[in-house]
Amino acid sequence: MIRKTCLALACASFGLASGAYAADSIKVGMMTTLSGPGAGLGIDIRDGFNLAVKHLGGKLGGVPAEVIVADDAQNPETAKQITERFIKRDKVDVATGVVFSNIMLAVGPAFFGSETFYISANAGPSQYAGAECNPYFFNVAWQNDNLHEAMGKHVQDKAYRKVVLLAPNYPAGKDALAGFKRFYKGEVAEEIYTKLGQLDYAAEIAQVRAAGADALYIFLPGGMGINFVKQYAQSGMTKKTPLFAPGFSGDEDVVKAVGPAMEGVFNTSHWYREMDNPANQRFVADFQKDFGRLPTLYASQGYDAALLIDAAVKAAGGKVADKAAFRKALETVKAPSTRGDYRFGNNHYPVQAYYLREVVKQADGSVSNRYVGKVMDGHADAYAKDCRM
Amino acid sequence: MISSNGSSRGTETPLIAGLPGPWIAIGMAVLLALYPLAMNTLGEDFYIGVGSRVLILALAASALNLALGYGGMISLGHAAFLGAGGYAVAILAKHGVVAAWIALPLAVGVAAAAALLIGAISLRTRGVYFIMITLAFAQLFYYLAISLPEFGGDDGLPLAARSLVPGLSLEGDLAFYYFVYFTAGLAFLLLYRLVASRFGRALVAIRENERRMAAIGYPVYRLKLMAFALSGGLAGLAGALLANLSMGVTPHTLTWHQSGILMVMVIIGGSGYFWGGLVGAAIFLILEETISGYTEHWNLVLGALLLFIVIVAPNGVMSLRERLRRLPQGTRVATIPACEEKA
Amino acid sequence: MLYLILEQALNGLQYGLMLFLLAAGLTLVFGIMDLINLAHGSLYMIGAFLTAAFFQALQSFFPALLLAILATAAIGVILERLLYRRLQGMNHLSQVLATFALILIANETIKIIFGAQPLMIGMPASLSGAVELVADELYYPAYRLLIIGVGLTVALGLYLLVNRTRVGMWMRAGASNPQMAAVMGVRIKPMFTFVFALGAALCALAGALLGPLLAVSVGMGESILIPAFEVIVIGGIGSMRGALVGALLVGMIDTVGRLVLTFGLKLVVASGTAATLGPTLASMMVSLLMVGVLFFRPQGLFPARG
């Protein structure tokens, strides 16, 4: 896969790190998770990004693009080493691709210290949105709390008044639930924290039933989410206590793993597949054609990251080496995107709309997400006020 | 069951062969001292950082080698000590203690104490039980680190700056490399003294025949425990240096996969050979760096390589010299140094 | 509250029996072939992926399950012939490393063949409902009852196989002294192959049965490997009875213990702290149990051999 990308984009092999500042090419370091349990997400980001580069004729901003792909294996140590390589040997102009926030936090300082632009196609840690915001960090996806906030608002608006919350027992889990509660003001019947990487959720499902709540919100990233949604859907509880989830727990990869039982699960996202804009139509159609699967929001984020880089390079007149000009371009350029309009806030995180999606049975009998409605418009994150930039 | 590997137990286990000659040691030291200068001249500063990583993991693997290769204790939980050292440095830094001469010894102390405690309980068991109980302890550390907000949970603890050494800034690649070089060099010297001493010989003898050593009056349990604690302490030192290199520590350092990788390094190099840890770490990291640049299926290559080594050269790269020497006589090489007495 | 605990006891039983399916194979292979197989979890993963593949082709659960069991057993036979037979004579360290290598190879191969996204195994429609065990108070998913039933049947079957059949006698003889058994006319090698295939089949059974409940994804083997190892270490390696007792113990502690711990702590300390402390302790409970057992009985609860 890597080699294919390399051939297509004529990526440099070992030791050919010269001429990084020549205006005739732009080097992108794509570090993402391609092996281990989280590989599906990284592969989607990479495929989305590469699809955009393909659509742009192998160029970004009219300049021939080299995409160097590396697998962080969801290991902060490995990621650290790749970062060093990107900066010191490959001398990339822009980096992107990290899926997980803990990896982002491990590699961020090295990118910022070397004044390498990092365009996050997923990880949106609160640190980099607030006090530790950085001129070289841009997030083209969403701040980690945003999807939870959107769902909190939806559940609040729909007048659910007794909610059970569920997350793994680690700080990110607590942050997620705090995000939900920022907009949900009703009663929290129960806050359940589970073991990280837990397999069986029968005990928690029984607790939800015993609590007699009228809605359940979960934050269970990765395999945990699939395990839970499978078991919850099969317990027949979705009818009694509807399940609300962040977009990534209701996305097409999860639907594919859970199957028809997933019908009726609500989730929030900044993007939905039916979005009516030319970039998105082309992305969705070609992604299915090229990869034989429905795109997830991760894939859309990878695609949007490439479109943003493209637009900014163009706006900066191809001069990526002029850091101030390139930053100005990234901040202000109106890049096309699969999600429609968005802009960056003062902390370089997007200010954008969030939507509600529901997993439904489609006309052809398959199960997938359908757009339900807009939950928030022009929403920024809660940390932007702490950012002095 | 009567141990079926009694007969196949490593006959050419390195005993004294596991000690380095002085000229090799000096040559190695000079080579490693010149390496970053060469890279610097070539303008490849990236490889200086890689060199620091190799030295640090070589130290970690050598620490494991003391327990595993010399002591015959198959620990699948050494990541716990690596992590203990790293977290000690990061937590101290969080509370404003950044002086290297305090942080590093404390990290070693914390890791050694953890190893002493874990060893005291684990060494009551043997064989597979020992492998599994060390693994279980490492899992306990992992869950503790990931659950507690004081430890930074999943995000781990970042380090704002490297440890302070008076009169020297460790922020540059070159300076940090030499800091690691001298620290690890001291550790290797200590390791050499240990292995060459009566203690080291007794340890190897216990590995070979624990009952006999007990019968002639050696305090077997105490000697093994001492070796295990020393091994843990040295792994803690490696952890402290690793945290400095990576500017932080994450729970990933504590996973059982990490323990497995350390073991893999020792085996690639040669368990029970003095340079086994260094050679193994270097080969592993260089291969990882090279191969993962070409394919995302690095794990497949690593798996195949590992299988090949276990089946074809179970005593690791360092044993090849003896194997070559023996080849004319057609001796078949047996397995890795025997490790445990079967219950 | 009583029914909640009762329901958790059923869940604990179900989880424990699934762990038993894995632990039984692990302990048989260790006891009889003297082999540590870290890649046991990979056979479980392979079983689950094959079930998913057959399910997608046939759209029917039970035939997919049968085919997957046969296919995984066949893979087991091939692995035994090609690799494990060589490993048998080697020491534990070589075995740990070689099977660690197999885990890496299996994960990567599965990813190449099936892709990185998790797969789906549909639950048989007839079993997707819940059974009313106590009127109005206790409903329990029919599918989980099926798992409990299968688990108990397999446990009984293994007991009979090991203790009441000629093959079982050979197995016991081979376990206590392979050379002697060979001299007495037991064909040791085919028996090893049989034992290994049986272990692989049990893995596939567990993988297939859990498939509708859990994510069928790369790396699923490791998440269940460690509990399975804890089971056989607690129970005593090589002992079938130990595997069963250990599995049930681990299953119960993990589900009921988690619940009781959280509720119990709530009575003692403020509820916010309890919600954090409970799961932290709960996730460590099984490891602590194992450490405790080994502290007092370094050979596990039911040592297989003196």
Side-chain angles (χ1 to χ4, degrees):
Chain A
M1 220 38 197
I2 286 187
R3 183 160 309 157
K4 208 166 85 190
T5 318
C6 285
L7 286 176
L9 303 170
C11 109
S13 55
F14 273 83
L16 289 177
S18 58
Y21 290 97
D24 50 55
S25 88
I26 174 167
K27 250 190 207 182
V28 180
M30 158 70 67
M31 167 167 68
T32 192
T33 303
L34 301 174
S35 60
L41 317 183
I43 288 175
D44 271 359
I45 290 181
R46 179 200 62 188
D47 289 350
F49 192 94
N50 283 342
L51 180 64
V53 176
K54 188 177 150 196
H55 280 170
L56 296 164
K59 292 177 177 173
L60 287 171
V63 183
E66 269 175 33
V67 182
I68 304 170
V69 183
D71 173 19
D72 66 28
Q74 213 175 328
N75 177 352
E77 284 294 325
T78 309
K80 197 75 199 170
Q81 173 136 356
I82 295 169
T83 306
E84 294 279 304
R85 190 199 313 146
F86 277 178
I87 295 169
K88 290 184 180 149
R89 197 189 69 196
D90 300 336
K91 302 195 169 63
V92 301
D93 301 294
V94 188
T96 182
V98 170
V99 181
F100 298 95
S101 287
N102 58 335
I103 299 212
M104 192 65 239
L105 290 170
V107 301
F111 282 121
F112 308 154
S114 66
E115 306 191 336
T116 307
F117 285 98
Y118 188 88
I119 314 292
S120 178
N122 190 57
S126 57
Q127 286 90 332
Y128 294 166
E132 293 173 41
C133 62
N134 194 287
Y136 290 94
F137 182 83
F138 287 80
N139 180 308
V140 72
W142 29 276
Q143 200 279 319
N144 285 355
D145 291 1
N146 284 155
L147 300 188
H148 312 302
E149 290 169 343
M151 195 49 102
K153 178 160 189 304
H154 171 72
V155 169
Q156 171 74 16
D157 289 350
K158 285 284 178 263
Y160 291 100
R161 282 300 166 260
K162 199 177 174 195
V163 175
V164 174
L165 307 177
L166 185 84
N169 181 43
Y170 71 135
K174 278 160 205 162
D175 292 350
L177 297 192
F180 181 88
K181 285 185 282 185
R182 204 169 285 138
F183 285 81
Y184 171 73
K185 301 296 170 202
E187 183 196 344
V188 175
E190 190 115 42
E191 238 174 88
I192 307 172
Y193 290 100
T194 67
K195 176 177 165 178
L196 194 68
Q198 188 165 314
L199 299 173
D200 195 272
Y201 291 90
E204 285 74 14
I205 292 172
Q207 271 175 276
V208 173
R209 189 182 315 122
D214 49 25
L216 166 67
Y217 185 69
I218 58 159
F219 165 70
L220 292 167
M224 288 183 281
I226 295 173
N227 292 342
F228 181 84
V229 175
K230 267 190 171 179
Q231 291 160 30
Y232 195 75
Q234 279 150 11
S235 71
M237 286 286 292
T238 22
K239 309 256 175 342
K240 244 167 143 183
T241 309
L243 174 62
F244 297 89
F248 50 82
S249 287
D251 218 331
E252 302 310 334
D253 51 342
V254 181
V255 175
K256 195 175 140 204
V258 177
M262 186 131 172
E263 207 181 332
V265 173
F266 292 94
N267 62 89
T268 39
S269 172
H270 66 301
W271 167 86
Y272 55 91
R273 207 174 56 245
E274 310 92 308
M275 280 196 125
D276 190 15
N277 66 60
N280 186 53
Q281 300 289 342
R282 191 173 178 205
F283 159 68
V284 172
D286 285 357
F287 191 90
Q288 288 187 74
K289 201 166 70 204
D290 281 16
F291 303 107
R293 59 180 196 266
L294 289 176
T296 60
L297 62 116
Y298 293 100
S300 85
Q301 290 158 198
Y303 193 87
D304 283 357
L307 291 189
L308 171 68
I309 296 171
D310 175 65
V313 172
K314 215 173 279 167
K319 289 197 277 291
V320 188
D322 183 349
K323 309 263 181 199
F326 190 50
R327 179 179 318 113
K328 190 92 204 134
L330 281 166
E331 279 168 352
T332 53
V333 73
K334 211 167 156 46
S337 94
T338 58
R339 80 193 76 168
D341 284 344
Y342 72 99
R343 66 176 175 85
F344 285 119
N346 64 319
N347 57 353
H348 294 173
Y349 274 66
V351 178
Q352 60 193 352
Y354 291 90
Y355 308 94
L356 186 71
R357 309 186 299 183
E358 184 188 5
V359 180
V360 294
K361 199 168 257 157
Q362 303 287 356
D364 63 352
S366 68
V367 185
S368 61
N369 270 289
R370 182 188 63 190
Y371 167 70
V372 179
K374 190 185 276 188
V375 181
M376 286 172 151
D377 213 351
H379 178 59
D381 57 89
Y383 306 95
K385 59 182 184 325
D386 300 323
C387 169
R388 303 261 165 274
M389 185 162 69
Chain B
M1 148 177 196
I2 309 288
S3 168
S4 59
N5 24 351
S7 53
S8 66
R9 183 165 281 181
T11 42
E12 48 177 332
T13 305
L15 294 166
I16 305 306
L19 289 180
W23 291 112
I24 295 181
I26 292 170
M28 195 83 99
V30 171
L31 203 71
L32 289 174
L34 292 178
Y35 166 80
L37 295 177
M39 284 302 144
N40 193 251
T41 319
L42 290 171
E44 292 283 7
D45 276 10
F46 165 66
Y47 291 103
I48 300 176
V50 174
S52 302
R53 185 173 297 268
V54 169
L55 283 186
I56 292 169
L57 286 170
L59 176 57
S62 299
L64 176 61
N65 198 8
L66 178 64
L68 189 151
Y70 288 94
M73 296 172 269
I74 310 181
S75 159
L76 196 49
H78 254 56
F81 312 128
L82 199 66
Y87 272 100
V89 167
I91 289 170
L92 283 172
K94 206 169 119 186
H95 292 95
V97 183
V98 290
W101 68 273
I102 302 179
L104 261 49
L106 263 175
V108 174
V110 167
L116 196 66
L117 183 76
I118 291 179
I121 298 173
S122 307
L123 284 171
R124 293 166 50 92
T125 67
R126 43 193 81 249
V128 191
Y129 294 97
F130 182 82
I131 302 179
M132 286 301 140
I133 199 171
T134 47
L135 172 67
F137 271 115
Q139 289 295 101
L140 286 180
F141 274 59
Y142 173 73
Y143 280 119
L144 214 56
I146 207 158
S147 311
L148 297 181
E150 292 77 20
F151 283 54
D154 200 22
D155 295 341
L157 290 173
L159 224 55
R162 284 181 177 151
S163 295
L164 281 184
V165 180
L168 181 72
S169 163
L170 295 185
E171 299 303 321
D173 286 330
L174 210 56
F176 186 69
Y177 178 91
Y178 282 114
F179 178 67
V180 171
Y181 175 81
F182 281 111
T183 319
L186 281 179
F188 273 104
L189 215 59
L190 173 75
L191 213 50
Y192 174 77
R193 295 297 302 232
L194 273 177
V195 173
S197 69
R198 265 178 53 116
F199 167 75
R201 283 159 205 243
L203 194 62
V204 172
I206 290 171
R207 177 191 76 195
E208 290 303 303
N209 196 333
E210 186 164 334
R211 272 187 211 165
R212 186 172 297 170
M213 289 298 279
I216 49 178
Y218 276 88
V220 166
Y221 176 83
R222 220 165 62 209
L223 286 173
K224 281 172 85 173
L225 184 57
M226 252 171 82
F228 195 75
L230 281 166
S231 162
L234 286 175
L237 178 62
L241 291 173
L242 195 62
N244 268 298
L245 174 74
S246 302
M247 304 294 284
V249 56
T250 64
H252 195 278
T253 324
L254 296 162
T255 53
W256 77 279
H257 197 259
Q258 181 72 48
S259 297
I261 294 296
L262 282 181
M263 209 184 243
V264 169
M265 286 175 178
V266 174
I267 296 316
I268 292 180
S271 99
Y273 287 87
F274 188 78
W275 298 115
L278 180 70
V279 171
I283 293 180
F284 180 90
L285 288 170
I286 292 169
L287 282 180
E288 182 185 31
E289 177 67 26
T290 317
I291 295 172
S292 62
Y294 285 106
T295 166
E296 72 180 72
H297 304 304
W298 149 244
N299 279 327
L300 194 63
V301 181
L302 174 62
L305 176 80
L306 203 52
L307 265 188
F308 178 79
I309 286 179
V310 169
I311 287 171
V312 178
N315 282 344
V317 171
M318 291 304 290
S319 72
L320 288 180
R321 207 174 47 165
E322 283 143 61
R323 284 163 60 87
L324 286 176
R325 208 183 305 146
R326 269 159 191 269
L327 221 51
Q329 291 127 36
T331 325
R332 217 184 145 269
V333 171
T335 50
I336 301 168
C339 284
E340 74 287 330
E341 197 172 296
K342 280 289 193 43
Chain C
M1 189 67 201
L2 173 69
Y3 290 112
L4 190 60
I5 291 185
L6 211 61
E7 189 183 342
Q8 289 327 305
L10 280 175
N11 286 328
L13 180 65
Q14 177 244 312
Y15 180 48
L17 286 170
M18 281 302 99
L19 281 179
F20 171 69
L21 291 188
L22 292 161
L26 210 51
T27 214
L28 268 180
V29 167
F30 187 83
I32 294 175
M33 301 170 68
D34 192 25
L35 193 90
I36 309 177
N37 184 15
L38 287 189
H40 200 68
S42 299
L43 288 167
Y44 160 82
M45 171 180 74
I46 291 169
F49 269 91
L50 288 175
T51 310
F54 289 130
F55 178 80
Q56 249 137 50
L58 303 170
Q59 289 300 318
S60 174
F61 180 73
F62 290 107
L65 175 135
L66 277 179
L67 281 176
I69 290 176
L70 290 176
T72 312
I75 292 174
V77 170
I78 295 171
L79 277 178
E80 200 272 338
R81 287 278 165 85
L82 289 182
L83 181 67
Y84 284 92
R85 192 163 283 181
R86 280 162 166 270
L87 290 179
Q88 243 185 310
M90 298 190 176
N91 61 35
H92 288 161
L93 183 54
S94 301
Q95 296 173 353
V96 165
L97 285 160
T99 52
F100 181 69
L102 269 192
I103 294 181
L104 299 176
I105 295 174
N107 280 347
E108 208 56 40
T109 311
I110 288 282
K111 195 180 88 182
I112 292 170
I113 298 176
F114 293 97
Q117 289 191 346
L119 297 185
M120 196 257 298
I121 299 175
M123 184 180 281
S126 52
L127 292 170
S128 60
V131 178
E132 196 172 355
L133 293 179
V134 178
D136 284 341
E137 289 288 354
L138 183 57
Y139 292 89
Y140 200 70
Y143 186 74
R144 285 181 188 257
L145 284 178
L146 169 84
I147 294 184
I148 293 176
V150 172
L152 288 174
T153 313
V154 170
L156 184 68
L158 282 176
Y159 172 80
L160 293 177
L161 174 75
V162 173
N163 291 305
R164 292 290 151 83
T165 65
R166 187 164 288 269
V167 177
M169 195 181 72
W170 291 338
M171 279 158 72
R172 279 176 290 141
S176 62
N177 192 334
Q179 286 94 348
M180 187 60 81
V183 170
M184 301 298 279
V186 177
R187 289 167 64 216
I188 289 288
K189 282 192 172 168
M191 195 192 70
F192 282 164
T193 312
F194 168 74
V195 165
F196 200 83
L198 180 65
L202 289 174
C203 276
L205 178 63
L209 283 177
L210 286 177
L213 295 178
L214 301 179
V216 179
S217 61
V218 172
M220 66 188 286
E222 281 99 286
S223 55
I224 206 147
L225 173 75
I226 290 177
F229 259 108
E230 285 169 338
V231 163
I232 66 166
V233 167
I234 289 170
I237 299 173
S239 157
M240 192 56 83
R241 191 161 49 133
L244 184 60
V245 173
L248 294 179
L249 212 57
V250 168
M252 285 298 173
I253 286 198
D254 203 59
T255 36
V256 183
R258 183 149 35 100
L259 190 74
V260 172
L261 196 69
T262 319
F263 277 106
L265 276 171
K266 264 187 196 161
L267 301 176
V268 188
V269 287
S271 103
T273 329
T276 317
L277 203 60
T280 307
L281 284 176
S283 57
M284 297 163 67
M285 246 180 336
V286 176
S287 298
L288 285 173
L289 170 76
M290 174 171 146
V291 169
V293 166
L294 289 189
F295 185 76
F296 293 106
R297 299 184 67 116
Q299 304 275 305
L301 292 177
F302 300 94
R305 351 182 168 101

